[in-house]
Amino acid sequence: MAEKIANHNWTADAAVAEMLERAQALGLPTAFSRAQAMKPCPIGEDGRCCKNCNMGPCRLVKPGQTGVCGATLETITARNLARAIAAGAAAHGDHGLDLAFTLLAVARGEAPGYEVRDPYKLVNVAAALGIQPDSKSIQALALEVAEKALANFGQMRGDLSYVTRAPKKRQEVWRRAGVTPRGVTVEIMETLHRTHMGTDQDPESILRQALRTALSDGWGGSMLATDLSDILFGTPSPTVAKVNLGVLKDDAVNIVIHGHEPTLSEIVVAMSSDPELIAYARSKGASGINLAGICCTSNEVLMRQGVPSAGNFLNQELAILTGAVEVMLVDIQCIMQALAPLAQRFHTKLITTSPKAHIQGATHIEFDEHRAPDIARQIIRLAIDNFPNRNGSAIPTALADAVPGFSHEYINYMQGGAYRGSFRPLNDAVIAGRIRGAVGIVGCNNPRVTQDQTHLDLAREFLKNDVLVVQTGCGALASAKAGLMLGEAAFEYAGPGLREVCEAIGVPPVLHLGSCVDNTRILTVLTQMATEGGLGEDIADLPVVGFAPEWMSEKALSIGTYFVASGVYTIFGVSSPVGGSEEVSRLISEGWEKLVGGKLEFITDPEQMLQKALAHIDAKRAALKLAPYDPSRWGASGDWRMRELEGLPLAERLTELYGLPPAGA
Ligand code: NFS
C-alpha cells in the first residue's frame, strides 16, 4: 500500500498522496483503502443482478439464463440502467425543487438574508418560462417564476417549459422519438413504474423512457436548479481562487462546506465576515474564520464568491485527516458516511443540515431558509468554540490558483463585450479550424481508478490537439488543482490555434462552468453554437464530445444520458453498468445514435477515449464541410509567437511575421 501511494497510483493529487500517507501512519481507512479491500461484485458491476422483487435477487451468470419471472439479461440490464438514471434525475430535481421553494420564500419576503441578486437573469428566465416580465416588480416576477418552476416539477401533461430552449431541429428529434419530457416528477415516477416487476419488459422501450427521464433532468430539474441559483446568488463571472487542501489554515477556524446546494453555503459565506463572529474567533486565539469547499458546494461558492476549494469528491475524508477542520458542514449528495467515524477520531464536528440527509454520529442542525442567518451564526459559533480543541494538524502545502466562473452568459459577453457579445467568434474559430472542436470533461472521482488522472490526461491531450475543454463538477476541480484553469495554461498546453484564441480573448483553455447541475450551462452553450450559424442546425451537428472518465454516481449517468439525448457522443470510463449485455450496450450506442443522434459508450482505456473522440470531432467537421484540422496553419501570430521572436531584430521579426523581404534584399 505504501508503495502504491508513493507511486501515486491512487491519486494524481500531491496533497492527497501526502494525506494518504498520514492515514496509513494513523491506521485510518479511507475510500482509497476500502476500494482496495472491497472488490466490485462482478455480477452487479455489469448489471446482471436483478433485485426488483422478492423472488430473487436473480443473478444471470450463464448464457440464456433468465430471472425467476423469465426476465432476460437484456431486460434486467436495461432496467438497472433506467433506475439509476431515474435516481440521478431525482437527486438533481429535488435539489432544483428546494431552490424553487427558496425563491418562493424570498418573493414572499419570508427568507431573511436572501434576495434576488440577479434581476437580469430573473427577467430572462421568466421569458424562457413563458412569463411576460412587463412592468412587474422584482418580487412579483420572482413569485411567478418560482410558481412556474414548481409547476414544471409537478407537471403531468404537455411539455416541460425549457424544451423550447433547444434548437428547433432537436425538438423535432425528441418529438419523433417520443422522448419529449412532460414534467420532472412524472418521468421519474414512470421509470420506476415501468421497471417494477412485470411492467415494461422490452429493453428498447425501457431505454427510451430512460432518455426521456434524463431529458427531464437536463432540460428540467438541473436547468431550473442552475437558473434559480443564478437568480438568487448571482450569475457567475470569472474570479480568482485558490484550490486544494492547502487552503486550510493552521491559525484560523476552518469550516469546510460540502455537498451540493448553494442555499446554506451562501449564507455561511455571508455570515463568516460578520465582525462580531470574527472578534469571537479571535477571542479563542484564532486569526479569523476560513471557509473552504468540497465537491459541488465548493463549485457553487468558488465560481460565485471565490471561496477557496479544498478539492473534489475524494478529498473529503482527507480534509478531516489534516486535523485542522473545526466543522465539516454538509447538506446533500456525495457525502461519505465514513466522515462520521473519521471525524470522531479528530476534534472535527460533522454537522448535517438537510432534513433529507441524516448521518448517525453527526450533529444535526436542521437548515430552514426562513431563518438562515441565525442557523449559520449558530454553526459558525460552534466551529469557533471547537477551535481550542484542535490537537495538532498536518495541512499539505499543495495549492493552485484557478479562474473559475464561466457561465454561458459570460462566454457570450467575453466574445465582444456588452454591446457585441455573441457566439460568432467562437463559431468562426471552429469553422476556420483554429479550434478543432470542444469537449466537456465532467463528473466524479472514483477510487477504482487513479484520482484525477484520466481527467487530466484527457484535458492535456485535447488542449494539445486544439480542442477547447469545458468542465464542471469534480472534473473541473481536478483541472483547477493542476493549474489548467489559468491563462498561462494555454501557453503550456494548448495547440497553436487554440492558443491564439485564448490569447485574443484572455481566457484559460479549460473553462470551469460550475457544479454538476451546471452541466446545463454546457447544453445552453451548445444550443447557442448550433443556432449561431455555420455549424449546422442542431447540437448533434457540432464537433463536440462529452466525457465522465471517473464517474461513480447515478447523477453522472443521468447527465451523460441527457447529453446523449441532446445529440452528443458521450464517453464514460471506469466500467460499464450494462457490460453484461452486448445487446443493451449496442442499444445505448448505435441504437440511441439512430434515435436521437448521440450515443453512450463505456471505454476504460484513456488512449482509446481520446482517439475515438478526435475521430468523431473530425467526422463532424467533415460532415459540416469545414476545413480539415491542420495545426500548421496557426501559431504565426499572437503573444506566444511574439515572445518567440522577442530576441530578433525588428527587420527579421517582420520577415518572420509578415513575410516582408529582409532589409536590403
Ligand atoms: Ni457530480 Fe457533485 Fe463530484 Fe460526482 Fe458528486 S460532487 S454532482 S456526482 S462526485 S461530480
Side-chain angles (χ1 to χ4, degrees), residues 102-118:
T102 304
L103 184 64
L104 190 70
V106 169
R108 288 179 175 160
E110 295 168 354
Y114 297 111
E115 59 183 346
V116 169
R117 273 201 216 147
D118 190 342

Side-chain angles (χ1 to χ4, degrees), residues 260 295-296 313 334 443-444 473-474 516 552-553 555:
H260 282 78
C295 282
C296 281
F313 177 67
C334 301
C444 325
C474 291
C516 261
M552 62 88 199
S553 84
K555 289 179 289 174

Side-chain angles (χ1 to χ4, degrees), residues 583-596:
E583 173 62 5
V584 170
S585 303
R586 195 192 58 76
L587 282 172
I588 62 169
S589 52
E590 278 168 47
W592 276 357
E593 192 172 33
K594 247 184 238 141
L595 191 69
V596 289

Side-chain angles (χ1 to χ4, degrees), residues 87-100:
H92 287 146
D94 207 23
H95 167 169
L97 183 67
D98 278 344
L99 285 159

Side-chain angles (χ1 to χ4, degrees), residues 488-508:
E488 292 82 340
F491 293 130
E492 198 168 335
Y493 300 108
L498 176 62
R499 196 168 60 216
E500 281 183 4
V501 174
C502 291
E503 279 172 6
I505 307 180
V507 290

